[in-house]
Structures are given as C-alpha cells and as structure tokens.
Amino acid sequence: MAKLTVRAENSSFYHFPHYGNHKVSIFSSSLRPQRLNLLAQKHILKLRISCSITERQKEEAAEKQRIVKGLKLNGEVGKNGGLISTSEDELGEAGNEDKEVGFEWGWPPWKNLPQRYKLIGTTSLAFVICNMDKVNLSVAIIPMSHQFGWNSSVAGLVQSSFFWGYALSQLPGGWLSKIFGGSRVLEVGVLVWSLATMLVPYLAGFMPALIFSRILVGIGEGVSPSAATDVIARTIPLEERSRAVSFVFGGLSFGSVTGLLLAPPLIQNYGWESVFYLFGFLGIAWFSGFQLVKEDRPWSFTEPISWPPSFSRNKSLGELGTSLKDVPWKAFFRSKAVWAMIYTHFCGSWGHYTCLSWLPTYFSEELNLNLTEAAWVSVGPPLASILVTSVASQFADSLISRGVDTSLVRKICQTIAFLSPATCMILSSLDFGLPPWEVVTILTGGLALSSFALSGLYCTHQDISPEYASILLGITNTVGAVPGIVGVALTGYLLDSTHSWSISLFAPSIFFYLTGTIVWLAFASSKPQSFSEGD
C-alpha cells in the first residue's frame, strides 16, 4: 500500500478518497515535500508519497488513472529505485532523465494496451496499406492502357515489374529483420513503397522509369512479410499464433477490399493519378504515426524469446557480415519440410498473384462488366477472405489447444486452401453456360477459402523455428514472388496468343494448386527444428 502523509497549513482540511485497488510496495527513501493547490483556493496541504511499482503493476495502475477527473500529479521517477518527487522546481533541472507520472486521461484509446498488441495492430494496418498500393494498379491499368495504347503484354509487363523488386527484397528483408527487428525494417519498407507509389503519375509516360518505380514499390512491400513474421515469432505463443498471423496477414485482404472499392470512384471523378497520390499519402501518414507507437516502450520488453548473442541488434558492419555467415543455410536446404514450404508457397502465389492482377480485367472483358462493376465484384474474394480467415484461425488454434498434432492441423488447413480454389476454377473454366454472376460467386468462394493458408503454410515458419522464422519466410517468399514476375506477364502473353481466359489464367493455377497439395501432404512438417549444422 502507498503511504500518504497529509498536513494542513490551516484549519481547513480536504478529504482525499482512498482507492484501494492501487497495490504498491513501500521502500525506504528520503521524502521531499510538495505544495499542491486544490480546488483553486488558498488552503495548502503538504503531500508525501512513497511508492515502488513493478513493471506489470504499472500497466495495471495505468488503467485506473482515469478515476480522478481534472487532477494531475506531476512528478519524476528516479533511476535509483522509483522515488516519486512532486517538486515543480526540480522538473527543470538539467540532466534529469526521469519521467512524468500521475493521474491522466487515457488518450489515445490504445495507450494502455500491451505493447505487443500495438505492434501487431499497426503491422496489420501496414498490410492494409500494402495491398491498397498493390491493387491500385490492377484497376488503374485499364484507363492507363487506353491512354498510353498498351496491349495486354505491355500491361502484364508493367504489373509484373512490382514483383521484380518484391522477389529481390525477400531474403535481405528476412535477414535485416533478424538483426534489427521486424518493426524497424517494416517502417522503412512502408516509407519506401509509399514514396514510390506517389511517383507513378509523374513517370507513367516513360516506360523504364515507370517500371523502376514499381520495382521500388515491390522492394518496400517485399520486406514486410518477413518483418511481420519476426514480430509475431518474438511475441506470440504457439496457441495464439494462428490468430495473430491471420490478423496481421488478413490486413492484406482488407487492403484489397479497400483499394478496389476506393479506386473506381477516385479514377472516375479525379483521374487514375489520384489513387497513387492518396494511397501513397496514407503510407506516409502510417510511418509518422508508427513513430509514436513504437516509442511507447522499448522493444526489448516485448521479446520473450532469448536470442543468441550473435544476433543482437547493435552491430558493426563487420559483425553484420559475420551474422550473415552464421545463418545455417545448408541446414535449411537439407530439410524436406523447408522444400515443401518453398514449393507450396510458389504454387499458392501463382494462383493468388495472377488472379489479383487479372481478375478485374477478366470481369471487364470476359463477363462484359464496366469498370465500376468489375472492381466491385473483384472485392468479393478478399472480402469473403476476411470472414474465412477468422474462422480458419479459430479452427486451427482450437485443434492445437485440444492436443491435435500441429503438423496435421497445418496440413488440413493448407489442403483446404488449395483444393477449394482449384475446384472452383475448374467449374468456371468449363463451358457450362453459366451467367456472369454465378461465375463470380463460384470464383469468390474458392479464392476466399484459399485464406486457410494463413493457418497452414504461413504459420509453419514460426512453428519449425521461431528464431529463424523471418529468414525462412524470406526464402519461401523469394520463390513465391516468381509467379508474380513470370505468371502475371505470362498470363498477358497467353491471352494475346490464345484469347482464352481458361488457358491463360485458370489452367496454370489449377495445375499448381493440385501439385502443391500433393507435395504439402507428403513432406510438410511443423516439428521444431534446430537447424544446427551438425543435424
């Protein structure tokens, strides 16, 4: 309990209510008096406070600071044990590194949340902006192609250039996240891709510069999956991991929905350039806000995992090179489970990236929908994915908490994620004479169920090695970016050559979904692995 000593300077006495829920410990230290004016009157009280609060107790006490309205007790907490001083004269002393404590309003609303939740929440928001900047071109490419006279092959080249940078940044992003922490890498990535997005309207008339700007967007967004994986691996326990991964990576689906909903009216009213200006500005705003969130508490407080000394964050350039050599690369590629993740990631990305880039055009040209209608129906798969993601994560975590083998859970989820869209693409590509809206519904259902992969493949990196999770995702995502480069451009080329959406868009995806399922069931594993060179 806190020890309070109150002495009145005159005959008037003011009562202080006692708040019994504040649990603090008493320690021995000298006390310094403070004069505190109450109720705007001249009556003066002297108040002495002595308390020491542990780190967890501070979090609990912070939630109760809203009790007193209008009253604020300014003070300092010294390094030597937590002594609270209320002397206003001492607040301006030079060299004082203390902080302010007392009764304050709990604003902003997330102020009292544990730091790991703030990091997970802001990371998910970054992923929302990430996919907004990824899908804006898939809608804007239609009026841009008309303005600049691009055919499908050129349009495919422009869209695929994003994935060149995306593939190049995967391994560097995973390694840098391992060394410096995912939150630091993520904020730099958001700033890079946002600035590059805002440059697109200025460079659209010059093809090499336009491609370079999209490569920069890909580089910035390419580090984000590994950075997020690092944050999750360091902060989230196994039984909550599916939900954390689904919440963070589910931001991609929400970003697709938001981008596809906002882009058509912006383009129709303000021109296609507006989507790049607005979406780029949102990323810069996120970067500014993240500086406040990440400084609420040092990163080290949120890291329950004990990392090897060779991977500390403060390193010279020489030590960084040594750390890179310390990564057990050979052990990674001797693991069948890692190879299963690599190929599965490639297969899933082929279906995802080709559909993400070409579905608006497919709906517009093949199903004869206008720009707004094509964008609206393109919202269906990512919008339904949000619901599927929440169900899948609860399903997976529930099975694991009941003792079901983690590898079996991941295999079930990934199988659903692959066989569902494959089946729906087969139905859509066959000529059954289905009306457009039935085709849209079938594709929406299949692509939405592919979100089960967030509780399958995307959790396996953390399952088998929390320490190297960001690097493992960097490896698999590097290969997973190849379909964005090859598949998106190849779809455009095949479309010009065959004029068949079934051959150019659906047939390759079906093949990879089916073969990916076979490889995953045969070789995937979530068993923790040390990846020591001697294994």
Side-chain angles (χ1 to χ4, degrees), residues 204-227:
F206 184 52
M207 184 60 66
L210 173 61
I211 290 177
F212 179 71
S213 69
R214 291 301 293 177
I215 290 175
L216 286 180
V217 175
I219 291 174
E221 294 193 11
V223 301
S224 58
S226 296

Side-chain angles (χ1 to χ4, degrees), residues 61 76-77 111 128 150 166 182 188-189 195 197 199 202 205 208-209 260 278 287 349 405 439 449 453 473 516:
E76 299 173 348
V77 180
K111 176 179 179 181
V128 172
W150 299 338
Y166 192 79
V188 175
L195 292 175
T197 295
L199 288 176
Y202 297 101
L260 291 171
L278 177 60
F287 175 84
S349 294
D405 181 66
V439 176
L449 289 172
L473 184 64

